[in-house]
Amino acid sequence: MARLRRRLAGSNNVLAQALLGLISSDRLDADTWDDFEATLIGSDLGVGPTTELVDTLRRELSIDGVADPTRAREVLHRELVRITDPTLDRALNLDAADGLPAVILVVGVNGTGKTTTVGKLARLLVAEGRTVLLGAADTFRAAAAEQLQTWGDRVGVETVRGAEGADPASVAFEAVDAGVEKGVDVVLIDTAGRLHNKSNLMDELGKIRRVISKRAPITECLLLLDATTGQNGLIQARVFNEVTDVTGIVLSKLDGSAKGGIVVQVQRELGVPVKFVGLGEGADDLAPFTADGFVDGLLG
Ligand code: GDP
């Protein structure tokens, strides 16, 4: 989490700048609040959380009609943590049935960072002393399995892949089957993110889930959302959340986004906790997410 703090602090993050601007302003008049509200909306925080935040701050920081900016940091910190919801369970569910691996399905639109995240997650799990196997169920892009294999080799874990154009569900099954046979702790499955239409997607992910579940229960389904795509990404994420049972969100490319507010909005809209954030392309650039770390990062 120290990493998340470092990355957000001092960045050109619109949300961070709005917050720091409010803290340092010596008058909290109507114009200040209007500007603050507009900037929060522009940071992808979402209308609901923005209204809540502004209403509470206005109420608490204006005493007898006189603005009191000195308490702004303290109230802001508390309220931001509250809207980011520190009570959500963000731990990766690795509770596998007896003798079976935990199975984590990674879904999302192409380019959001699925393959990269599978590699980074494998790295994190291996560092915790767990045994991991990767399944390359994105069989539509020839390069996808290759890319996953490269991650597997780098992290030192086996990758199960099928021929190009193979049925993704059968590759996913083979990976889980190999994971069971080898007695690994976790199988991570990378999927294709083809978003032709909702029913296609539902059929494809539904089939993968059904087939895998014959061998071992899916313990976690992580949805990738690219932080730099803002509202468009959110619309796509909503579709995935509707067609499959998503248990956690990974918000990738937070390092490249100037609008950190999307973290709060996506959780609200999808009703699913953000569990990890991507902070770069490297193997160590995945951080477990916490509300406190996020807010500390924003407020510096
Ligand atoms: P996929 O199509 O969903 O599997 O996406 P990839 O894993 O291939 O990622 C697409 C691109 O995004 C690649 O160039 C990754 O290196 C890059 N990427 C993934 N995660 C992050 C991140 O957290 N930060 C940055 N800056 N780039 C990322």
Side-chain angles (χ1 to χ4, degrees), residues 21-37:
L22 186 78
I23 290 171
S24 60
S25 58
D26 40 351
R27 278 194 60 76
L28 298 179
D29 54 21
D31 281 350
T32 314
W33 289 116
D34 284 350
D35 288 350
F36 182 58
E37 187 161 8

Side-chain angles (χ1 to χ4, degrees), residues 7 106-120 138 141 143-144 147-148 151 190-193 224-228 250-257 277-282 285-286:
R7 283 298 178 98
V106 178
V107 303
V109 175
N110 274 339
T112 48
K114 289 183 298 297
T115 308
T116 309
T117 299
V118 168
K120 293 173 183 174
D138 180 355
R141 266 192 321 132
Q147 192 191 338
L148 192 70
W151 272 105
D190 187 17
T191 63
L224 257 293
L225 175 64
D226 178 339
T228 64
V250 179
L251 194 66
S252 65
K253 310 186 197 181
L254 201 57
D255 54 304
S257 167
V277 288
L279 299 169
E281 297 186 86
D285 292 332
L286 187 73

